Structure formats: C-alpha cells, structure tokens
Amino acid sequence: MKVIAALATLMLSVQAFASQFVINHKFDDDANNDSKVMVIFAAEDEAVTLESWSSATQTMVTTALNAKEFTGKHGQMVEVLAPTGLTAQRLIVVGVGAAGAFNRVKAEQVGAKLLGSLPSDNEVALNASLLADANAVAAIAHGMDLKNYRFDRYKSDAKDRDTVTYYWQVADDSAAQQHYGDYQAIAKGVFLARDITNLPGGDGYPQAIAEMASKALKPLGIKVTVLNPEQVRKAGMGALYGVSQGSQHKAYLLAAHWQGSKDQPVALVGKGNTFDTGGYNLKTSSSSILRMQTDKAGGGAVLGAVMALAGQKAPVNVVAVVPLSHNLISGSALLPGDVVTAGDGTKIEVANTDAEGRLILADGIWYARDKFKPRAIADIATLTGSKVGALGTAYSAIFTEHDDLLATMKQAGEATDELVWQLPLGPYPGIISSTLADIKNVGSPGAQAGAVFLQHFAKDTPWIHIDMAGNAYNAGASGIHPAGGNGYGVRLLTEWVKLYSNQAN
Ligand code: BES
Ligand code: ZN
Ligand code: ZN
C-alpha cells in the first residue's frame, strides 16, 4: 500500500499539467522578411507605412485599409491577402488605438485578440517598429502567451504542442527583450495559479498542492516551508486543522519566501481550500458545489505572485502563506456549532461549516504575523457568495482601514485590469459576536462579516482583505484568458507588492 501511495505521489509530481510558452518570441531591430504571415501594428490615425515598401506595395495596402475603413482603433484588424511586392502571403494590420493611451493592459488585449488570427504551426513576422513604447510591445507578446495556455492534463489527445517562433521587429530590441523577460516571469506565475486552480479536488488535495508548489518555486531561490498535518495541529492551528479533519486529506500549510531585499517582509495570505463541499452545511445545489476545486485560487494567486517576483529578481521581501484544507464530510468532520481554537488562542464557534475560508485564513494570518513579523498583510480568497452578489465578477472587493494599502491596491488594479472596489468594515456592531465562544464565523452582511472576522486575526498589522469570489474561473475564453482557471490575482499582487514596497521604504 505504502509503495503504491509513494508511486502515485511521484507520478503526480512529474506529470506535465499544461502546455505553455509554445510561442518563442524573438526581438530584433532587423526585419524578418521570409515569413508567410506578416503583422504590422499601427496607432490610431497614423500612417501605415514602412520604408522598405515599394510604392506599389504602399498603394495596395493603403487602398485595402481604406476599403475596410481602417483607422487604427484599438483592436481593429484588417487582413490583406497576397500583398503586392511582399514575400508574405498574408499581411495583418492591427490597430492599437491612440498612441498616448497605449499601455500594458491595452497591449495584452491586442496580443490576445491577434493570437486567434495567427497560425500556430508556422513562423510569423511581427513588425512593431511604428510603436515607440518597448514595454507595451513586450506586453503584446505577453498577452499572446497568457491566451495560449492550455490545461490539457485530462485530454486523451494532449500532446506537446510544437513550439513556433514569432519574429518581432522593434525599434529597441534590447529594451523589448528585457521587458518581455519580466512579463515571462509574470506569465509563469499566472500559469502556476491557473494549474493550481484547475486541478480537480480529487487530485489537487492539500499535500498534492504543497508538493506541486514546492517543485515550481524552489528552483527560483524561493525558500519553501511545508507544515504537515501533525505540525499544523501541534502549532495550535485548530481552525485550519478543523476544516480538513473530516477528509482523509488533512490540512497542510505552505510558506514561500522570496527575500529580494532586507526590508521587513510583506505577507500575502491566500485561501487554499482545495475543495469546498460546504461540510455538514453541505452545498446542496449541483451548481453551487460544481467547480469548488477553484476554492484554492487565492492560494494559487499568492504563490504565483511570489513566483513572478522571484522570476524577476525583484528587490522586495515577500512571503506567501497558504493554508491548505479539503472541506469534506465524514464521521470526523466538524459539526455546525462546534468550537475550534485558532493559533492565536481565539475560540471560534463554527456556526456554519461552509464559512471555512475564514477559518483557515485566520490561522494563515496568525502564522504570517507570528513567524514573519510583516510590515503589512494582504489576504486574498474566494470567500463569499455575498461579494458576487454585490460586485459581480468585474471587481473583487477590498476591505482595509489603511489609506496607503487602499491607494496602492487600486493603482495595481488599474495597471493590471484586475479591478478592486472598496467595501466598508463597519460600523457593524456585534456582527460576529458569539454567545457560546469568543466569536462566530458567520454574520450579516456576508462579505463584511468575513472581512471583520479576518481583521480580528490581523490585529495591529496593517492589513487589506481581497474577496475574489467569482473571479477565479471563466467558463469560456475571454480576453487574455483561455477557458478555466484564469490566475486572477497574480498580476494584481505582483504589481501591488512592488508599488507598496517602494512607497513603504
Ligand atoms: N467558497 C465559498 C465562496 C464562493 C461562493 C466562492 C461562490 C466562489 C463562488 C465559501 O467558502 C462559502 O461557501 N461561503 C459561504 C459563506 C456563508 C456560509 C456564510 C457563502 O458565501 O455562501
Ligand atoms: Zn464554503
Ligand atoms: Zn470556500
């Protein structure tokens, strides 16, 4: 039995989860004129012209663009077949919008949209020499990479997709290459988060996620600490332990520390509930329980962000803490009304076993404070249906009493298009008061009760809570995301840690 279990673990850890980076982007300041497909990017109301074009080529292209009323509007694409005088059989002209408004987010969207029109089995020449901003050019390539990810572990016909080279002609190739390197680090973090989010609950239990993350993060110089269930229990983390006690897969806790500076660390705490049945407060409708493997997406987000920052060798001190649980039922599961004692000694009445996220985060936040003495904590979690009701999925909800955390998080949200909207922490007198124990794990309004509960454990450490319920998963492909787990939070938190670390120095 033991041998089989060990073998199964080994197989899981060596298995490829997804195909990524099948496009090899090469940046040069010279043209590659041999490709069958050529792309040229143009800003709004600016001339689409290359010095190398003959007047016959120019006339044909201009006529074709006029016929399609091409203005260079953001996302506009016109294809010219068999362009006169060019080796390419297809010329695709892509509008990026007003030059002054062309930024990272707009660039990523253009890349993702363009990808659908490009061959995946043939090299492509992309001419971005009309665009001045090397960072935005690199972000176009990044948008393609983000869109091109596939989680194909459970597809019978999954085989490694062939790598294809896209040749970029840019004004400043070393600048573009450098920015692209930073974006590649972000993409790797997003892919880790998507893999973690996508893994079904039967295969992606706490120990499996801890092993998968360790394997991805250690090679980057990230210090990984894994607490096994016995260590979680002995450390006194009864809230985290309790959520997983009804499952054969007991609780783990993972800490991943990137020490890129000597500053006091920033801590990111992510909800890693690897499946949410609700516990004895069972999720009884089929639609509410389906996809609850995505309840570990907050954990994926913080691990992905640390991976991105380490990949960039960012000069920041950041630690991700992920409490990992499996919220299942059995004769040993928590019962509604049971009392658990958290790591900080707080006695919690578990009035609802489906409000498990805040239980595991309570101990995650306590562990982060106790072991790392962070200058600030951001926690992120698929925490409440109430948040989805209030804001839908275009925003996540943020809660904080600290203006600097609020301002930097909003700024990071806008820079990455992972938008955040503040909800209040009070006044809600008695919102989590318990007659039985110190506090209880539910209250009304729902999203605020979750936030106020977590605030109890952050104590005097500057803290911000991000409720990302509903944001982790797309049923269909959309924008820079293929269908499935989207890695929400990695781009937001990577940006935020840098912004906050700079201003807090
Ligand atoms: N994981 C859920 C929240 C959730 C709901 C995430 C929908 C994504 C989509 C969380 O653990 C939960 O079950 N919350 C309960 C809390 C309630 C029992 C106080 C909820 O929101 O219904
Ligand atoms: Zn729940
Ligand atoms: Zn949950």
Side-chain angles (χ1 to χ4, degrees), residues 401-413:
E401 283 178 347
H402 295 267
D403 291 346
D404 50 348
L405 293 177
L406 177 67
T408 47
M409 195 62 80
K410 277 191 181 165
Q411 198 185 334

Side-chain angles (χ1 to χ4, degrees), residues 271 276 278 283 295 327 353-356:
K271 173 177 175 182
D276 191 6
K283 292 189 183 292
D295 215 17
N327 188 20
T353 59
D354 199 8
E356 83 298 332

Side-chain angles (χ1 to χ4, degrees), residues 253-258 265-272 298-309 316-323 361 364-365 367-369 372 374-381 405 409 461-464 466 489-498 500-501:
L253 183 135
L254 186 69
H257 191 183
W258 167 248
V266 171
L268 306 175
V269 182
K271 173 177 175 182
V302 300
L303 295 170
V306 168
M307 185 177 195
L309 290 161
V316 296
N317 190 357
V318 59
V319 61
V321 173
V322 182
L361 288 169
I365 290 170
Y367 184 85
R369 290 183 61 235
F372 296 97
R375 74 166 96 143
I377 297 175
D379 81 74
I380 182 163
L405 293 177
M409 195 62 80
T461 304
W463 160 85
I464 182 165
I466 307 169
V490 172
R491 293 160 61 259
L492 173 72
L493 291 172
T494 302
E495 190 69 21
W496 176 73
V497 168
K498 288 198 263 191
Y500 184 76
S501 298

